[in-house]
Amino acid sequence: MSAGRPVKKLPEETIVVSSEPTSELYKQIALQSGASVHRLRITKGSDGALVPNDTGMLVQTTGLRQQSTIYVKDLGPQIRWRTVFLVEYLGPILIHPAFYSFFTKNGEGASYTQTLTLILVVTHFLKRELETLFIHRFSASTMPTSNIFKNSAHYWLLSGVNMAFWIYRQSFYGKSGPSPIVTSLGLALFVLGELGNLSTHLTLRGLRSSGGKERGIPQGLGFDWVTCPNYMFEVVAWLGVALVSLNWSTVLFAIVATGQMGVWAKKKEARYRKEFGGTYKRKRYAILPGIW
């Protein structure tokens, strides 16, 4: 039986051994229906709970039994999460140099502040691209293709076009900028934030094997302070960029990004508490120590 968008050639029944992983159930239905396994979503008929496509979860642990009813949904065209990340972060990398070149006549009329801001923004997103290629491991393989436009808008428009337009206009800075003390402080925060963020990502990578979906309790730099120190260090880095640029568009992006990361961090804290129970040391703050 199918819930939502119907799956073509969906079999009326399928057989898997209860001691097999749930990923085998997905493989069997994909094979019989001719659909991509990444497009399928399976839920239990009894309570609507998701049956995850997981090599580490057994069918019997989901509560499915002989002659249990399941619902299968076609999620539509899918795209890999890694690809989504690469496309998202590419926006600012292309947009900032383009606006910088256009407004400052290939840099000849750029102020020190504008040039330094360009370097920091491009460095930040190049780091993200490299982490996506070589560090990040994803628990979910794909997402709906249509979501890439919504996800990319945050980076291409808010941290791309909006920031670049207001920062690189010659009339905004002329040859002036923030004081050397403010600039130095901004640079220090940026470096601290980027290195701390990288350290956290390396820690999270070590919790999961290549291609695996297992989870572990992260420990190390920042994890005693907040649930998601990678987000905390991200905020620190963008505070640094804001101090260097002294531009409202940078502050706006930092506020919006902090709000979104805070929501994600709260959800992760709830998931940690549910998944690990008493073995997990509960955090009072999700993203910013003493604040949130």
Side-chain angles (χ1 to χ4, degrees), residues 148-180:
I148 192 173
F149 301 104
K150 177 184 66 177
N151 288 26
S152 296
H154 174 71
Y155 295 102
W156 284 68
L157 298 180
L158 199 58
S159 63
V161 173
N162 181 61
M163 282 178 55
F165 176 81
W166 295 105
I167 290 172
Y168 304 124
R169 290 187 312 157
Q170 283 183 284
S171 60
F172 184 83
Y173 289 110
K175 293 297 180 180
S176 63
S179 70

Side-chain angles (χ1 to χ4, degrees), residues 213-226:
K213 297 183 180 181
E214 69 275 14
R215 302 182 190 274
I217 300 176
Q219 297 177 339
L221 180 64
F223 285 102
D224 287 334
W225 308 333
V226 294

Side-chain angles (χ1 to χ4, degrees), residues 77-93:
Q78 300 288 296
I79 187 171
R80 292 189 176 278
W81 270 99
R82 195 179 306 277
T83 302
V84 173
F85 276 33
L86 291 174
V87 172
E88 288 176 354
Y89 305 148
L90 182 62
I93 295 174

Side-chain angles (χ1 to χ4, degrees), residues 95-113:
I95 292 170
H96 277 261
F99 274 70
Y100 175 85
S101 178
F102 176 79
F103 281 121
T104 65
K105 299 178 182 178
N106 297 316
E108 295 178 4
S111 69
Y112 171 75
T113 296

Side-chain angles (χ1 to χ4, degrees), residues 21-61:
T22 55
S23 59
E24 185 61 28
L25 176 61
Y26 276 81
K27 289 179 182 178
Q28 288 294 330
I29 293 178
L31 181 64
Q32 294 172 5
S33 65
S36 168
V37 70
H38 298 300
R39 293 179 60 144
L40 301 179
R41 175 185 174 87
I42 301 175
T43 56
K44 294 163 56 180
S46 59
D47 58 8
L50 174 67
V51 178
N53 182 3
D54 194 335
T55 57
M57 177 178 289
L58 302 182
V59 172
Q60 60 191 14
T61 63

Side-chain angles (χ1 to χ4, degrees), residues 80-86 89 131-133 135-142 208-213:
R80 292 189 176 278
W81 270 99
R82 195 179 306 277
T83 302
V84 173
F85 276 33
L86 291 174
Y89 305 148
E131 288 174 336
T132 299
L133 288 171
I135 295 179
H136 292 329
R137 288 173 173 164
F138 301 90
S139 57
S141 300
T142 62
R208 179 175 295 152
S209 60
S210 179
K213 297 183 180 181

